[in-house]
Amino acid sequence: MNKSSFKHVVGAVLHKFGESCTMRGTLGAFMRCCLILLVRADQWRLKDSSSCELNRKQTDLNSFLWTIKRDPPSYFYGTIHVPYTRVWDFIPENSKQAFQESNIVYFELDLTDPYTISALTSCQLLPQGENLQDVLPRDIYRRLKRHLEYVKLMMPSWMTPDQRGKGLYADYLFNAIAGNWERKRPVWVMLMVNSLTEPDIKTRGVPVLDLYLAQEAERMRKRTGAVEKVEEQCHPLNGLNFSQVSLKLSERWL
């Protein structure tokens, strides 16, 4: 099993290094421990694991936090891509404490790096000279265009007073999410459409949990890193068959 086999399971990996550890040696140990922990995680029961302990305190249950037994300890934590305000109050203190005490934090991607954002944007685009209407069936393209026109019309009524108070307006937000949509690959358009709902729009402006933790790590002057590259996320999605994605887009309006 290689790194790409587990990359989507991990939202953040927290490392608490001793002064005598080298980056290469510790990262190698981290890779081996993660493989074991992921097998346990997939079983959903950790009772029989000799590598992990399940704290039976109610406050520590369902925390998605595992401890890698070493001195000092390292932690393995699973996050979810939703606005952090939806889940922060439900994250047990043991997970927050592990984050606080960690000196180095590895995320899925480095979302604080401008290159990451730029690369993610570029990888979503069709090859030069191609447009979405060239690759989507005509009927689906027309329905997609009508749907986006509907979303743009409705978005002002979906915005919250708090968002407006922060200077976040419907036209700006629509362009930030759906701008240049005719140049995007179908799979990214599908993901974009799924995020253009009233509940999702109302939480725009609030960082997702991964980004919030990355921002906190930066604010607390922790060393940060990423366990994967943008290309490792983009290439599998871009490799999906256009007909499969077109079918999923079509199903949305059935």
Side-chain angles (χ1 to χ4, degrees):
M1 187 182 293
N2 55 35
K3 185 174 70 175
S4 63
S5 301
F6 64 84
K7 62 186 178 181
H8 294 296
V9 180
V10 185
V13 180
L14 314 180
H15 280 272
K16 184 178 178 183
F17 288 101
E19 293 182 357
S20 62
C21 294
T22 63
M23 174 67 79
R24 180 175 299 176
T26 305
L27 186 56
F30 147 69
M31 296 288 284
R32 292 191 293 273
C33 289
C34 282
L35 296 180
I36 296 171
L37 289 173
L38 279 172
V39 171
R40 303 299 179 187
D42 286 343
Q43 293 171 351
W44 291 100
R45 292 179 179 270
L46 303 179
K47 293 180 180 179
D48 300 328
S49 171
S50 59
S51 302
C52 309
E53 291 180 354
L54 181 62
N55 190 320
R56 301 309 299 174
K57 291 181 180 179
Q58 184 62 35
T59 55
D60 291 339
L61 293 178
N62 302 321
S63 66
F64 301 101
L65 177 76
W66 290 267
T67 299
I68 302 174
K69 290 184 177 181
R70 56 186 300 278
D71 186 23
S74 295
Y75 304 99
F76 184 64
Y77 185 59
T79 63
I80 185 171
H81 298 302
V82 297
Y84 84 95
T85 50
R86 290 187 183 179
V87 296
W88 189 251
D89 291 342
F90 302 99
I91 296 176
E93 287 303 317
N94 66 337
S95 302
K96 295 177 181 178
Q97 183 178 355
F99 179 79
Q100 292 284 336
E101 294 179 355
S102 297
N103 298 323
I104 302 178
V105 190
Y106 281 91
F107 295 93
E108 184 180 5
L109 290 173
D110 185 358
L111 297 177
T112 63
D113 184 353
Y115 167 78
T116 300
I117 307 304
S118 174
L120 281 171
T121 301
S122 297
C123 86
Q124 296 179 22
L125 300 179
L126 287 162
Q128 189 67 33
E130 289 188 20
N131 291 303
L132 195 59
Q133 61 182 336
D134 299 325
V135 297
L136 279 183
R138 182 178 300 178
D139 180 55
I140 294 177
Y141 177 82
R142 288 176 176 173
R143 283 187 287 168
L144 171 63
K145 189 173 182 178
R146 285 198 300 267
H147 178 72
L148 292 178
E149 290 171 351
Y150 163 78
V151 169
K152 188 173 184 178
L153 180 67
M154 295 298 299
M155 194 173 284
S157 66
W158 293 350
M159 304 288 291
T160 66
D162 183 58
Q163 287 173 317
R164 296 190 189 95
K166 293 178 180 177
L168 194 61
Y169 291 97
D171 284 346
Y172 169 82
L173 188 56
F174 181 84
N175 288 330
I177 300 171
N180 206 25
W181 66 269
E182 295 190 50
R183 284 277 297 120
K184 291 186 177 181
R185 295 173 183 268
V187 64
W188 296 102
V189 171
M190 180 183 70
L191 296 173
M192 177 194 76
V193 169
N194 288 340
S195 71
L196 285 171
T197 64
E198 184 174 358
D200 283 321
I201 294 301
K202 287 183 182 297
T203 60
R204 287 286 176 162
V206 179
V208 295
L209 181 58
D210 302 63
L211 179 56
Y212 174 74
L213 290 175
Q215 291 171 340
E216 283 296 288
E218 192 172 59
R219 182 183 66 81
M220 298 165 72
R221 300 185 182 279
K222 298 179 185 291
R223 289 174 58 189
T224 61
V227 297
E228 65 179 18
K229 299 178 181 178
V230 170
E231 294 77 14
E232 292 176 300
Q233 282 207 349
C234 283
H235 290 171
L237 286 172
N238 288 347
L240 290 176
N241 187 287
F242 277 176
S243 61
Q244 294 174 312
V245 179
S246 297
L247 177 61
K248 287 298 181 182
L249 278 170
S250 179
E251 288 174 351
R252 183 175 178 85
W253 293 291
L254 287 178

